[in-house]
Amino acid sequence: MANQSLPLSPPKGMRDFGSEEMRKRQFIFDRLRSVFLTFGYEGIETPSMERLDVLTGKYGQEGDRLIFKVLNSGDFMKPVAENQGSGLESKQIVGLISEKALRYDLTIPFARFVSANRGTLSFPFKRHQIQPVWRADQPQKGRYREFYQCDVDVVGSTSLWQEVELIRVFAEGFESLGIQGAEIHINHRSLLMGLAEFLGFAERAGAIIGILDKSDKISPEQLVELLRKEGFTAEHLEKIEPILNWSKGGLPEHLSGSMLEQTQVAHGLRELSWVMEKCLNLGALPGGAKLLFNPKLARGLDYYTGCIFEVVIPGSGLGSIGGGGRYDNLTDMFGVPNLSGVGISFGAERIYDFLQQTNLWPDEIKSGLDYFFLNFDDSGAEIAMQFMAKLRSAGARCDMYPEASKIQKQMKYAHQRQANYVVYIGEREIENQEVGLKNMESGQQINLPWDQLLTHYTNHP
Amino acid sequence: MANQSLPLSPPKGMRDFGSEEMRKRQFIFDRLRSVFLTFGYEGIETPSMERLDVLTGKYGQEGDRLIFKVLNSGDFMKPVAENQGSGLESKQIVGLISEKALRYDLTIPFARFVSANRGTLSFPFKRHQIQPVWRADQPQKGRYREFYQCDVDVVGSTSLWQEVELIRVFAEGFESLGIQGAEIHINHRSLLMGLAEFLGFAERAGAIIGILDKSDKISPEQLVELLRKEGFTAEHLEKIEPILNWSKGGLPEHLSGSMLEQTQVAHGLRELSWVMEKCLNLGALPGGAKLLFNPKLARGLDYYTGCIFEVVIPGSGLGSIGGGGRYDNLTDMFGVPNLSGVGISFGAERIYDFLQQTNLWPDEIKSGLDYFFLNFDDSGAEIAMQFMAKLRSAGARCDMYPEASKIQKQMKYAHQRQANYVVYIGEREIENQEVGLKNMESGQQINLPWDQLLTHYTNHP
């Protein structure tokens, strides 16, 4: 056993990704990125760190606790010594020894970016951003301290075409990953707020939204029980019964007349109808995706003000794999008011889990190499290198065993590298100016004249 | 002027990347990644953070100072209070309040990865890794506190074919970026160590390597002066004169006989000849790249033991844009001895600067959109959305102005978005079932029947 002088595992809640995982992760990011670009959402990146005061107070008290703070460089304790009265409690000195922190999400950095560059950006400004974020959460299955977020937003336009576009981005995105039948749920914050007000719960709208937000995870009885605790009477419950029992799908027709006249309710329904109608006019969504009105969809986050979205794959047992909505005042905190935006997020880590559990990965990423050349001796190796140079220029992934080791060992390695074909150039093959070619899946072996190996690739890329 | 309640710029030495910069950066990373994959170097990723003790002491005293340390979560000062005797100096408490740090390079995390996964990896293990690293350096032109590294390594094989492969990776890599005429300099650590020993300077070999390392930046006279200070006599200088005055190119033939017999010198020359000969046999390097023996090439880093490389673009004034070499004991510190490896790095940030200063970027990344649809009214917009759905599925990057604003405003926006074509669907176009199409570069305008717009894209992708 080796003497392990240093720890070998990554820090708690963080992961190494090996080559097969990377192929799969890269597949997800590349496909989504392509879709985002066809819709005109160009890429941006922001630094991993932000100033601590940019992040603090944006994610609630719990969020603040989970932000990874970066220690100032140099003699970081000097300001503490100079402020001796300030005490040595963690809370008291954190601001003295740390002025930067790792980003907690992509939303606040994006808002800062837009505010910083408002003079040079063209509005509406459409962007996508695929970068890791960090949270000092207790790690558990599916929850990591470093994970990628994958966001798409447009700011500076109140047009509902943006909502229509983002619904199609969801559908095209999942289709590009080979995921069929995603359900895109839609609701409107005004509808929720208006209903709360209509029932006389305007001040507690936030709490009610919080309860509705759980509706997919609890039984209808538990939902009613929670609403009762919030003060809902039998009369209230009767009034919203059409909503509580609404099966996801088209817009509600059974809401009572007076409810529909409430200003916010009417506004929300008008916007939802417009968006859903325009989507319908564009024809079926790609990948068999469905757009469904879900009146119980709430989305926990405070900053949403218009349409809200959430995507699930029915039967996957995975919860939401995407979500988003319209917000109106994201850049206010940076001194840039009245910049409406709407954005969505793809839950890349959960999408990975779904593709993994269904093994929907395309064949192309199941293999690690197109051709693996066995090494019999130096003269064969030199010929192999010649072939590899040509094949690689044509885009083929090639490799050769670096030594003339036992063939069994080399074949095992070829197998571990997930090669599609093994190529061998022994004495006889050199004499005949041929290569031997073994299909690693079927086991079939053929001989090919030297001048046909490149054609073999262009015919079986 | 907006009230800037929060700072808008990224932290010192860190950068936001906008859409055009991202297209360019992505171009570099995508092209290099493709080349790495054709050579069988698969991707891996390691976490942004490592345990502090994994990083400390690996980069020298100065390096330790430049490592960004992450503050422990929760009540980080508790261990300080419990160790009251330890004092409050920064150096004394850093280990108590921080146990993780941001990676400083990709080499140490790679060594940890290989050691952690030695039981499941197939050796030789070939990988590439493209990720940001962080250094608390004083920022200056071209030096940032967060920047990407782009590394290619193979471990677990002493075969010199690996060196040959990496030389070709350099050449294919630069060719894929449109960079012609890169010079790949090669030397061998044994040659340098052997010469130092032959001259009686074995113990000061490190210092001499440090001096030679500067030889590209200082005059031959200054070089001689530095060697004199290190104790070199006229006799010494005469002996190494063939090396000091060696013009880069083929292997030295003028070294005196006794020098050539020194074990390490002989070993270094033997390996260099083998690598250079095999490279020659494979024919001209792609992209007009040249492989040149450079006896003054030293590479500062301690861990190199065999061939060393450095790449320059003559006349660019940029210094090295790539480098690397063979190392023998990188995983020793993790308890895994005798794992020889060789690796190279592409200086992605400098490559960016070079492409920027020469404007060698390909046309495809100069544009942000293929088609931009003007918005005259809702009915035209709806037709535009139909076209965009088809074009996007075919891979075209499309966008539409979300409101029926003034055409001048929309055209300005199309220009800012760097669109190749502007498409307009006004009343007359709808009547004739046509679209208007304006080439934004040439200014040329044509009309196309509706069924020919998709063909227009497939013919002008």
Side-chain angles (χ1 to χ4, degrees), chain B residues 24-290:
Chain B
K24 292 173 174 175
R25 292 175 69 84
Q26 203 71 55
F27 162 76
I28 295 175
F29 296 134
D30 283 350
R31 288 291 172 97
L32 291 180
R33 187 167 54 130
S34 292
V35 170
F36 302 158
L37 290 175
T38 63
F39 279 79
Y41 300 91
E42 292 216 59
I44 71 158
E45 282 192 3
T46 61
S48 301
M49 293 181 218
E50 293 285 347
R51 291 165 205 262
L52 187 52
D53 51 359
V54 165
L55 301 185
T56 309
K58 308 305 180 302
Y59 308 104
Q61 214 176 333
E62 174 66 1
D64 279 353
R65 219 177 49 76
L66 301 183
I67 292 171
F68 275 113
K69 287 137 198 114
V70 176
L71 203 53
N72 292 343
S73 333
D75 186 6
F76 57 87
M77 282 300 278
K78 207 173 158 204
V80 178
E82 286 165 0
N83 284 268
Q84 284 193 330
S86 67
L88 288 172
E89 298 289 312
S90 298
K91 276 184 194 171
Q92 292 164 323
I93 74 163
V94 64
L96 294 171
I97 64 174
S98 164
E99 58 187 27
K100 291 182 293 294
L102 291 167
R103 68 174 160 253
Y104 181 86
D105 68 5
L106 302 178
T107 308
I108 296 296
F110 172 58
R112 182 194 54 71
F113 175 95
V114 169
S115 307
N117 298 288
R118 66 194 181 285
T120 52
L121 294 177
S122 325
F123 292 97
F125 176 64
K126 300 174 80 171
R127 81 88 170 81
H128 78 262
Q129 192 169 354
I130 303 176
Q131 291 191 277
V133 302
W134 295 268
R135 296 182 186 179
D137 239 325
Q138 204 51 42
Q140 58 183 55
K141 192 179 174 319
R143 191 205 277 162
Y144 306 102
R145 292 184 148 197
E146 175 178 49
F147 59 97
Y148 274 75
Q149 285 194 338
C150 183
D151 281 15
V152 186
D153 286 82
V154 50
V155 292
S157 163
T158 53
S159 164
L160 292 174
W161 279 120
Q162 309 295 359
E163 274 81 347
V164 175
E165 290 269 79
L166 287 170
I167 289 164
R168 293 198 66 92
V169 170
F170 265 139
E172 289 278 5
F174 288 111
E175 146 108 304
S176 78
L177 300 172
I179 297 174
Q180 296 289 313
E183 281 186 7
I184 304 165
H185 295 185
I186 186 171
N187 197 3
H188 199 291
R189 268 295 167 92
S190 289
L191 190 57
L192 293 171
M193 304 301 275
L195 288 173
E197 192 170 308
F198 176 78
L199 297 172
F201 288 85
E203 305 87 50
R204 272 170 293 164
I208 294 168
I209 285 177
I211 293 170
L212 284 179
D213 205 27
K214 298 191 184 106
S215 62
D216 268 358
K217 290 163 204 138
I218 58 180
S219 70
E221 293 72 30
Q222 287 171 311
L223 186 67
V224 165
E225 191 48 39
L226 286 174
L227 288 170
R228 258 194 238 283
K229 279 189 188 152
E230 200 56 40
F232 273 61
T233 62
E235 195 191 347
H236 290 130
L237 288 169
E238 195 184 326
K239 278 188 182 164
I240 60 161
E241 208 224 331
I243 290 189
L244 292 184
N245 295 325
W246 195 256
S247 53
K248 292 154 195 166
L251 279 179
E253 290 153 17
H254 307 289
L255 292 181
S256 70
S258 57
M259 215 187 256
L260 285 178
E261 281 159 23
Q262 202 280 343
T263 325
Q264 284 180 281
V265 171
H267 169 73
L269 283 177
R270 202 164 47 238
E271 294 210 341
L272 283 172
S273 320
W274 196 94
V275 169
M276 293 179 79
E277 187 199 315
K278 295 296 176 190
C279 272
L280 203 66
N281 292 351
L282 283 170
L285 287 171
K290 287 185 204 71

Side-chain angles (χ1 to χ4, degrees), chain A residues 77-96:
Chain A
M77 284 299 279
K78 206 173 157 203
V80 177
E82 285 166 359
N83 284 268
Q84 284 194 331
S86 67
L88 288 171
E89 297 289 311
S90 298
K91 277 183 194 170
Q92 292 164 323
I93 74 164
V94 63
L96 294 171

